[in-house]
mmCIF file of all heavy atoms in Angstrom:
data_model
loop_
_atom_site.group_PDB
_atom_site.id
_atom_site.type_symbol
_atom_site.label_atom_id
_atom_site.label_comp_id
_atom_site.label_asym_id
_atom_site.label_seq_id
_atom_site.Cartn_x
_atom_site.Cartn_y
_atom_site.Cartn_z
ATOM 1 N N GLU O 19 0.820 -1.205 0.000
ATOM 2 C CA GLU O 19 0.000 0.000 0.000
ATOM 3 C C GLU O 19 0.860 1.263 0.000
ATOM 4 O O GLU O 19 0.513 2.265 -0.642
ATOM 5 C CB GLU O 19 -0.955 0.001 1.194
ATOM 6 C CG GLU O 19 -2.038 -1.065 1.115
ATOM 7 C CD GLU O 19 -3.048 -0.940 2.247
ATOM 8 O OE1 GLU O 19 -2.888 -0.026 3.091
ATOM 9 O OE2 GLU O 19 -3.991 -1.756 2.284
ATOM 10 N N LEU O 20 1.980 1.221 0.692
ATOM 11 C CA LEU O 20 2.886 2.371 0.716
ATOM 12 C C LEU O 20 3.513 2.582 -0.656
ATOM 13 O O LEU O 20 3.660 3.721 -1.115
ATOM 14 C CB LEU O 20 3.972 2.147 1.772
ATOM 15 C CG LEU O 20 4.837 3.365 2.142
ATOM 16 C CD1 LEU O 20 3.966 4.515 2.633
ATOM 17 C CD2 LEU O 20 5.875 2.986 3.185
ATOM 18 N N ARG O 21 3.864 1.478 -1.323
ATOM 19 C CA ARG O 21 4.408 1.587 -2.683
ATOM 20 C C ARG O 21 3.385 2.200 -3.631
ATOM 21 O O ARG O 21 3.710 3.056 -4.460
ATOM 22 C CB ARG O 21 4.838 0.204 -3.200
ATOM 23 C CG ARG O 21 5.998 -0.428 -2.457
ATOM 24 C CD ARG O 21 6.658 -1.538 -3.285
ATOM 25 N NE ARG O 21 5.733 -2.600 -3.682
ATOM 26 C CZ ARG O 21 5.469 -3.686 -2.970
ATOM 27 N NH1 ARG O 21 6.050 -3.849 -1.777
ATOM 28 N NH2 ARG O 21 4.640 -4.615 -3.425
ATOM 29 N N GLU O 22 2.131 1.749 -3.497
ATOM 30 C CA GLU O 22 1.066 2.249 -4.373
ATOM 31 C C GLU O 22 0.808 3.739 -4.142
ATOM 32 O O GLU O 22 0.663 4.524 -5.098
ATOM 33 C CB GLU O 22 -0.226 1.461 -4.122
ATOM 34 C CG GLU O 22 -0.201 0.047 -4.671
ATOM 35 C CD GLU O 22 -0.274 0.053 -6.189
ATOM 36 O OE1 GLU O 22 -1.343 0.353 -6.737
ATOM 37 O OE2 GLU O 22 0.760 -0.254 -6.832
ATOM 38 N N SER O 23 0.744 4.155 -2.891
ATOM 39 C CA SER O 23 0.469 5.557 -2.601
ATOM 40 C C SER O 23 1.633 6.447 -3.043
ATOM 41 O O SER O 23 1.419 7.561 -3.544
ATOM 42 C CB SER O 23 0.194 5.749 -1.107
ATOM 43 O OG SER O 23 1.334 5.432 -0.320
ATOM 44 N N ALA O 24 2.860 5.955 -2.881
ATOM 45 C CA ALA O 24 4.026 6.724 -3.326
ATOM 46 C C ALA O 24 4.023 6.868 -4.845
ATOM 47 O O ALA O 24 4.330 7.943 -5.379
ATOM 48 C CB ALA O 24 5.312 6.045 -2.855
ATOM 49 N N THR O 25 3.668 5.799 -5.542
ATOM 50 C CA THR O 25 3.604 5.846 -7.000
ATOM 51 C C THR O 25 2.567 6.855 -7.461
ATOM 52 O O THR O 25 2.812 7.654 -8.378
ATOM 53 C CB THR O 25 3.265 4.445 -7.564
ATOM 54 O OG1 THR O 25 4.253 3.517 -7.133
ATOM 55 C CG2 THR O 25 3.217 4.471 -9.080
ATOM 56 N N ALA O 26 1.404 6.847 -6.833
ATOM 57 C CA ALA O 26 0.339 7.784 -7.201
ATOM 58 C C ALA O 26 0.753 9.225 -6.914
ATOM 59 O O ALA O 26 0.481 10.140 -7.718
ATOM 60 C CB ALA O 26 -0.940 7.438 -6.446
ATOM 61 N N ALA O 27 1.406 9.455 -5.794
ATOM 62 C CA ALA O 27 1.825 10.812 -5.431
ATOM 63 C C ALA O 27 2.877 11.343 -6.404
ATOM 64 O O ALA O 27 2.835 12.508 -6.816
ATOM 65 C CB ALA O 27 2.367 10.825 -4.008
ATOM 66 N N LEU O 28 3.816 10.500 -6.794
ATOM 67 C CA LEU O 28 4.844 10.916 -7.745
ATOM 68 C C LEU O 28 4.247 11.169 -9.127
ATOM 69 O O LEU O 28 4.671 12.093 -9.835
ATOM 70 C CB LEU O 28 5.940 9.862 -7.824
ATOM 71 C CG LEU O 28 6.840 9.769 -6.585
ATOM 72 C CD1 LEU O 28 7.668 8.493 -6.618
ATOM 73 C CD2 LEU O 28 7.744 11.005 -6.490
ATOM 74 N N ALA O 29 3.271 10.376 -9.522
ATOM 75 C CA ALA O 29 2.595 10.594 -10.804
ATOM 76 C C ALA O 29 1.896 11.946 -10.807
ATOM 77 O O ALA O 29 1.895 12.665 -11.815
ATOM 78 C CB ALA O 29 1.598 9.471 -11.075
ATOM 79 N N ALA O 30 1.298 12.322 -9.674
ATOM 80 C CA ALA O 30 0.594 13.603 -9.579
ATOM 81 C C ALA O 30 1.567 14.780 -9.654
ATOM 82 O O ALA O 30 1.191 15.861 -10.118
ATOM 83 C CB ALA O 30 -0.191 13.660 -8.265
ATOM 84 N N MET O 31 2.798 14.581 -9.221
ATOM 85 C CA MET O 31 3.787 15.664 -9.286
ATOM 86 C C MET O 31 4.307 15.888 -10.697
ATOM 87 O O MET O 31 4.883 16.935 -10.996
ATOM 88 C CB MET O 31 4.949 15.363 -8.345
ATOM 89 C CG MET O 31 4.573 15.483 -6.886
ATOM 90 S SD MET O 31 5.982 15.161 -5.807
ATOM 91 C CE MET O 31 5.261 15.535 -4.210
ATOM 92 N N GLY O 32 4.113 14.932 -11.567
ATOM 93 C CA GLY O 32 4.468 15.102 -12.971
ATOM 94 C C GLY O 32 5.947 15.352 -13.190
ATOM 95 O O GLY O 32 6.812 14.751 -12.535
ATOM 96 N N PRO O 33 6.292 16.269 -14.124
ATOM 97 C CA PRO O 33 7.692 16.490 -14.497
ATOM 98 C C PRO O 33 8.594 16.910 -13.344
ATOM 99 O O PRO O 33 9.795 16.710 -13.411
ATOM 100 C CB PRO O 33 7.591 17.612 -15.549
ATOM 101 C CG PRO O 33 6.207 17.510 -16.097
ATOM 102 C CD PRO O 33 5.360 17.066 -14.947
ATOM 103 N N ARG O 34 8.030 17.488 -12.292
ATOM 104 C CA ARG O 34 8.870 17.937 -11.176
ATOM 105 C C ARG O 34 9.591 16.762 -10.510
ATOM 106 O O ARG O 34 10.648 16.945 -9.903
ATOM 107 C CB ARG O 34 8.027 18.697 -10.150
ATOM 108 C CG ARG O 34 7.404 19.964 -10.709
ATOM 109 C CD ARG O 34 6.797 20.819 -9.625
ATOM 110 N NE ARG O 34 5.763 20.141 -8.859
ATOM 111 C CZ ARG O 34 4.516 19.963 -9.266
ATOM 112 N NH1 ARG O 34 4.149 20.375 -10.474
ATOM 113 N NH2 ARG O 34 3.616 19.366 -8.510
ATOM 114 N N ALA O 35 9.010 15.581 -10.620
ATOM 115 C CA ALA O 35 9.638 14.404 -10.022
ATOM 116 C C ALA O 35 10.597 13.702 -10.979
ATOM 117 O O ALA O 35 11.274 12.740 -10.581
ATOM 118 C CB ALA O 35 8.556 13.419 -9.573
ATOM 119 N N TYR O 36 10.681 14.162 -12.209
ATOM 120 C CA TYR O 36 11.435 13.450 -13.248
ATOM 121 C C TYR O 36 12.910 13.216 -12.892
ATOM 122 O O TYR O 36 13.405 12.084 -13.019
ATOM 123 C CB TYR O 36 11.310 14.190 -14.573
ATOM 124 C CG TYR O 36 12.039 13.561 -15.725
ATOM 125 C CD1 TYR O 36 11.653 12.323 -16.233
ATOM 126 C CD2 TYR O 36 13.122 14.199 -16.322
ATOM 127 C CE1 TYR O 36 12.321 11.742 -17.303
ATOM 128 C CE2 TYR O 36 13.799 13.633 -17.388
ATOM 129 C CZ TYR O 36 13.401 12.407 -17.870
ATOM 130 O OH TYR O 36 14.058 11.833 -18.922
ATOM 131 N N PRO O 37 13.673 14.251 -12.461
ATOM 132 C CA PRO O 37 15.088 13.978 -12.148
ATOM 133 C C PRO O 37 15.276 12.907 -11.088
ATOM 134 O O PRO O 37 16.164 12.053 -11.203
ATOM 135 C CB PRO O 37 15.598 15.350 -11.663
ATOM 136 C CG PRO O 37 14.694 16.343 -12.316
ATOM 137 C CD PRO O 37 13.344 15.682 -12.326
ATOM 138 N N SER O 38 14.447 12.925 -10.063
ATOM 139 C CA SER O 38 14.558 11.919 -9.000
ATOM 140 C C SER O 38 14.162 10.538 -9.505
ATOM 141 O O SER O 38 14.749 9.518 -9.106
ATOM 142 C CB SER O 38 13.680 12.308 -7.808
ATOM 143 O OG SER O 38 14.138 13.519 -7.228
ATOM 144 N N LEU O 39 13.174 10.482 -10.387
ATOM 145 C CA LEU O 39 12.756 9.198 -10.946
ATOM 146 C C LEU O 39 13.850 8.602 -11.835
ATOM 147 O O LEU O 39 14.058 7.389 -11.848
ATOM 148 C CB LEU O 39 11.464 9.373 -11.751
ATOM 149 C CG LEU O 39 10.199 9.642 -10.930
ATOM 150 C CD1 LEU O 39 9.029 9.971 -11.846
ATOM 151 C CD2 LEU O 39 9.858 8.434 -10.055
ATOM 152 N N ARG O 40 14.557 9.457 -12.555
ATOM 153 C CA ARG O 40 15.659 8.961 -13.383
ATOM 154 C C ARG O 40 16.741 8.335 -12.518
ATOM 155 O O ARG O 40 17.316 7.284 -12.863
ATOM 156 C CB ARG O 40 16.255 10.109 -14.201
ATOM 157 C CG ARG O 40 15.411 10.535 -15.388
ATOM 158 C CD ARG O 40 16.140 11.559 -16.223
ATOM 159 N NE ARG O 40 17.395 11.025 -16.750
ATOM 160 C CZ ARG O 40 18.303 11.756 -17.396
ATOM 161 N NH1 ARG O 40 18.104 13.050 -17.557
ATOM 162 N NH2 ARG O 40 19.395 11.213 -17.867
ATOM 163 N N ALA O 41 17.025 8.968 -11.395
ATOM 164 C CA ALA O 41 18.030 8.414 -10.482
ATOM 165 C C ALA O 41 17.560 7.077 -9.921
ATOM 166 O O ALA O 41 18.347 6.120 -9.813
ATOM 167 C CB ALA O 41 18.303 9.409 -9.353
ATOM 168 N N ALA O 42 16.260 6.990 -9.585
ATOM 169 C CA ALA O 42 15.717 5.735 -9.052
ATOM 170 C C ALA O 42 15.739 4.632 -10.092
ATOM 171 O O ALA O 42 15.991 3.462 -9.778
ATOM 172 C CB ALA O 42 14.298 5.963 -8.545
ATOM 173 N N ALA O 43 15.484 4.994 -11.356
ATOM 174 C CA ALA O 43 15.464 4.001 -12.434
ATOM 175 C C ALA O 43 16.846 3.413 -12.689
ATOM 176 O O ALA O 43 16.972 2.329 -13.270
ATOM 177 C CB ALA O 43 14.922 4.632 -13.718
ATOM 178 N N ALA O 44 17.883 4.121 -12.265
ATOM 179 C CA ALA O 44 19.252 3.616 -12.439
ATOM 180 C C ALA O 44 19.753 2.894 -11.192
ATOM 181 O O ALA O 44 20.921 2.503 -11.125
ATOM 182 C CB ALA O 44 20.186 4.784 -12.773
ATOM 183 N N GLY O 45 18.867 2.698 -10.208
ATOM 184 C CA GLY O 45 19.247 2.057 -8.960
ATOM 185 C C GLY O 45 19.309 0.539 -9.059
ATOM 186 O O GLY O 45 19.242 -0.035 -10.152
ATOM 187 N N GLU O 46 19.397 -0.098 -7.899
ATOM 188 C CA GLU O 46 19.563 -1.556 -7.858
ATOM 189 C C GLU O 46 18.347 -2.275 -7.292
ATOM 190 O O GLU O 46 18.246 -3.498 -7.418
ATOM 191 C CB GLU O 46 20.804 -1.905 -7.024
ATOM 192 C CG GLU O 46 22.110 -1.353 -7.608
ATOM 193 C CD GLU O 46 23.308 -1.708 -6.760
ATOM 194 O OE1 GLU O 46 23.104 -2.319 -5.691
ATOM 195 O OE2 GLU O 46 24.446 -1.379 -7.157
ATOM 196 N N GLU O 47 17.411 -1.552 -6.644
ATOM 197 C CA GLU O 47 16.244 -2.185 -6.053
ATOM 198 C C GLU O 47 15.221 -2.441 -7.159
ATOM 199 O O GLU O 47 14.690 -1.511 -7.761
ATOM 200 C CB GLU O 47 15.662 -1.265 -4.972
ATOM 201 C CG GLU O 47 15.010 -2.011 -3.817
ATOM 202 C CD GLU O 47 13.736 -2.740 -4.263
ATOM 203 O OE1 GLU O 47 12.943 -2.129 -4.999
ATOM 204 O OE2 GLU O 47 13.568 -3.907 -3.865
#
């Protein structure tokens, strides 16, 4: 549920979250 709510919140932030999402996409988890 925490993963789902975080995903929804980041989607609502749109492009402002993009740099952080790029860093996460290059992670290991």
Side-chain angles (χ1 to χ4, degrees):
E19 292 186 359
L20 192 57
R21 294 199 303 271
E22 287 288 288
S23 64
T25 302
L28 289 166
M31 289 181 175
R34 297 191 301 281
Y36 180 66
S38 296
L39 289 173
R40 284 186 61 188
E46 298 180 356
E47 212 292 316

